[in-house]
Amino acid sequence: MSKGQAGISDKIDHLFRYEYGKLVSVLTKTFGASNIELAEDVVQEAMLEALKQWEYKGIPQNPVGWIYKVAKYKAVNLVNREKYKREYSSVVAQYLQSEWTVEPALNHIFTEKEIEDDQLRMIFTCCHPSISTDSQIALTLKTLCGFSIPEISKAFLSTEESINKRLVRARKTIRDSNIAFEVPMGRELGQRMVSVMETIYLLFNEGYNASSGNSFIRFELCAEAIRLAEIISQNTNIVNKSKIHALLALMSLNASRFTSRADAFGNSVDLEHQDRSKWDKSLMHRGLVYLERSMPQREVSNYHILATISAHHCTAKDFKSTDWESILSLYDNLVKIDRSSIVLLNRAIVVSKVKGAGDALAELEAIQDKTVLLSYLPYYTAKAELHFLNDQAEVARNLLKKALDLPINENYRSLIINKLKTY
């Protein structure tokens, strides 16, 4: 591939990542939610045509507009070609079948406001409660974020076949359940928001603590999670935004520390030894603003508490200045909402800062359900550190050896091996 072709390919990749979800969302409204895969096919064809044409004619002055135009008319041709073979559920499609109405219809559905609204509809469609959680995330990454099946399988340490099956199941559920391409109203909106925010937060966490590959962090996953949350927060039809603002605060504050979480060689750097001058002050400020916006409705969720904990870390002058007692108090409130084993593990780590390693180990032993923890890397590394601090180096080493048996990121594997040498 020549340098020019590589540049064009990079441009397509960039457009594919940032415009794919917008186009798929608009075309899903055109074809109906039961035809999401058809919308994806049209967008992929438009991208392939761009790659083919631009290699010979060069990149146009307005590449986004060019691709949108191609996608528009591919949609028109498809509707007209198949109008007697396929029954589209979308009212929009009817207007594309007439030469008198096609231009006004296209101009309307491709406005910036409609595109944003359609992305919101797509988020709620992907996160319908009748779709399994793992399929919700896969479908969101595929349709809204433009991730390929290999990328999704790599991000979640799964096979391409498994991810494809999840997507097939999700699309089938949408068809069989006749799920509408819309933002639900009333009580259903509140119920669906729970699934939407859980999906976005799971997406962010996978990026923040990458389970596969050679990096500790997958920035693109975190960025997509924040982008999707911002689409929801900016929509005027959603009145109660307390939780989504709290989630945005949490993700923004955590993301502000990205640049210091790994050293120049890609090795993990824990919070105590991070260079705080490298923290993104702008992103931190955004997080604190979102946290303030989440407060007026006096609603307290796990996102509010976790965001407040993150704010304590971000605003501490240095590690020694961290207000661990306040953080422990926040965890005490969190366990009233969420007594999951991972929350209890994180609380035990904070207990070690306030009361010492011995008390923290007692807290860990008191966790009744350790099923999830047995496959959770931080459980082994945190417990090993606590045993080491409690003068039980041999126990600590054995725990780290168990951690190496887990299917973990290669950088984490190197970190554990190096840690073994110091214990």
Side-chain angles (χ1 to χ4, degrees):
M1 182 183 290
S2 68
K3 187 175 180 181
Q5 288 174 319
I8 292 169
S9 182
D10 288 344
K11 188 75 173 179
I12 290 286
D13 286 343
H14 176 80
L15 287 172
F16 193 86
R17 182 69 78 207
Y18 290 98
E19 305 299 332
Y20 180 88
K22 297 177 184 179
L23 280 167
V24 170
S25 298
V26 168
L27 294 177
T28 296
K29 179 173 66 178
T30 303
F31 300 139
S34 60
N35 295 308
I36 287 177
E37 194 170 11
L38 187 63
E40 291 182 277
D41 289 342
V42 170
V43 176
Q44 287 169 354
E45 284 181 23
M47 297 289 181
L48 287 172
E49 186 165 329
L51 183 59
K52 182 180 175 181
Q53 296 244 8
W54 295 358
E55 283 181 354
Y56 294 99
K57 299 181 180 180
I59 298 175
Q61 207 166 21
N62 181 9
V64 174
W66 191 98
I67 288 179
Y68 273 42
K69 184 176 180 181
V70 171
K72 285 179 190 180
Y73 287 101
K74 280 187 179 294
V76 172
N77 292 337
L78 188 65
V79 170
N80 290 335
R81 187 171 72 241
E82 300 195 12
K83 62 182 176 182
Y84 299 112
K85 300 176 186 178
R86 186 191 297 270
E87 186 177 335
Y88 294 104
S89 61
S90 171
V91 175
V92 177
Q94 298 174 14
Y95 293 100
L96 302 185
Q97 295 175 7
S98 166
E99 61 180 295
W100 301 104
T101 59
V102 63
E103 196 65 37
L106 285 174
N107 289 338
H108 174 70
I109 67 175
F110 278 87
T111 61
E112 188 175 332
K113 179 67 169 62
E114 284 297 307
I115 289 171
E116 184 178 297
D117 287 347
D118 288 341
Q119 287 183 92
L120 190 66
R121 294 183 185 106
M122 181 64 87
I123 294 170
F124 281 93
T125 301
C126 290
C127 297
H128 193 277
S130 61
I131 302 172
S132 65
T133 301
D134 58 354
S135 294
Q136 286 178 14
I137 297 171
L139 191 62
T140 300
L141 282 172
K142 184 73 172 66
T143 60
L144 269 161
C145 307
F147 280 71
S148 66
I149 290 175
E151 284 178 312
I152 300 171
S153 64
K154 183 179 179 183
F156 290 94
L157 209 63
S158 183
T159 64
E160 292 181 27
E161 182 183 5
S162 176
I163 295 299
N164 192 52
K165 284 180 180 178
R166 291 183 198 179
L167 292 169
V168 169
R169 283 198 303 269
R171 292 166 183 146
K172 185 177 186 300
T173 299
I174 290 172
R175 287 194 300 272
D176 294 349
S177 303
N178 197 26
I179 295 173
F181 187 67
E182 64 183 13
V183 177
M185 304 292 287
R187 181 179 295 179
E188 190 183 350
L189 173 60
Q191 293 170 342
R192 192 84 63 86
M193 276 289 284
V194 173
S195 294
V196 167
M197 287 190 289
E198 283 178 356
T199 297
I200 290 173
Y201 190 40
L202 283 169
L203 176 58
F204 180 87
N205 277 338
E206 174 53 35
Y208 193 71
N209 295 296
S211 61
S212 64
N214 296 318
S215 300
F216 289 106
I217 310 162
R218 292 197 52 154
F219 295 101
E220 69 274 21
L221 290 180
C222 296
E224 284 301 323
I226 292 172
R227 185 181 72 84
L228 294 177
E230 285 179 335
I231 289 173
I232 298 170
S233 74
Q234 291 163 7
N235 189 271
T236 55
N237 296 323
I238 297 175
V239 179
N240 187 346
K241 297 178 180 177
S242 178
K243 284 185 182 178
I244 196 66
H245 282 154
L247 177 56
L248 273 165
L250 173 59
M251 294 190 295
S252 299
L253 289 167
N254 284 350
S256 71
R257 304 196 298 267
F258 274 172
T259 51
S260 60
R261 287 188 65 212
D263 64 20
F265 303 100
N267 300 310
S268 176
V269 180
D270 61 27
L271 184 61
E272 182 176 1
H273 299 102
Q274 286 177 17
D275 181 353
R276 299 188 176 215
S277 68
K278 292 181 179 179
W279 288 1
D280 188 329
K281 300 298 189 295
S282 174
L283 198 51
M284 191 184 299
H285 176 71
R286 277 172 57 193
L288 293 172
V289 169
Y290 278 128
L291 185 57
E292 188 175 350
R293 287 179 186 172
S294 74
M295 297 304 182
Q297 281 145 332
R298 298 172 184 255
E299 184 175 11
V300 178
S301 67
N302 58 329
Y303 301 121
H304 288 85
I305 297 172
L306 289 170
T308 306
I309 290 170
S310 188
H312 272 290
H313 289 303
C314 286
T315 55
K317 183 180 178 182
D318 50 42
F319 188 76
K320 289 181 180 179
S321 304
T322 306
D323 187 352
W324 292 109
E325 290 190 359
S326 292
I327 292 174
L328 180 57
S329 178
L330 286 163
Y331 267 109
D332 289 341
N333 287 321
L334 182 59
V335 295
K336 295 175 184 177
I337 301 172
D338 181 3
R339 286 194 63 85
S340 66
S341 54
I342 291 177
V343 168
L344 292 171
L345 167 65
N346 290 334
R347 181 184 175 278
I349 294 169
V350 177
V351 167
S352 73
K353 306 298 182 185
V354 178
K355 301 179 181 179
D359 283 34
L361 285 168
E363 294 282 344
L364 286 183
E365 290 306 315
I367 298 175
Q368 294 180 351
D369 184 6
K370 294 188 175 69
T371 308
V372 173
L373 295 180
L374 295 177
S375 59
Y376 187 57
L377 177 65
Y379 171 68
Y380 294 95
T381 54
K383 194 173 182 181
E385 181 70 14
L386 291 173
H387 276 292
F388 182 73
L389 292 173
N390 209 39
D391 297 323
Q392 297 169 301
E394 187 60 32
V395 178
R397 283 192 289 271
N398 288 334
L399 283 164
L400 291 182
K401 288 173 184 176
K402 286 183 180 179
L404 289 173
D405 292 332
L406 298 174
I408 55 176
N409 174 297
E410 286 307 310
N411 268 357
Y412 281 119
R413 184 175 299 280
S414 299
L415 178 68
I416 293 169
I417 291 169
N418 289 332
K419 184 73 77 174
L420 270 169
K421 296 174 184 177
T422 64
Y423 279 2

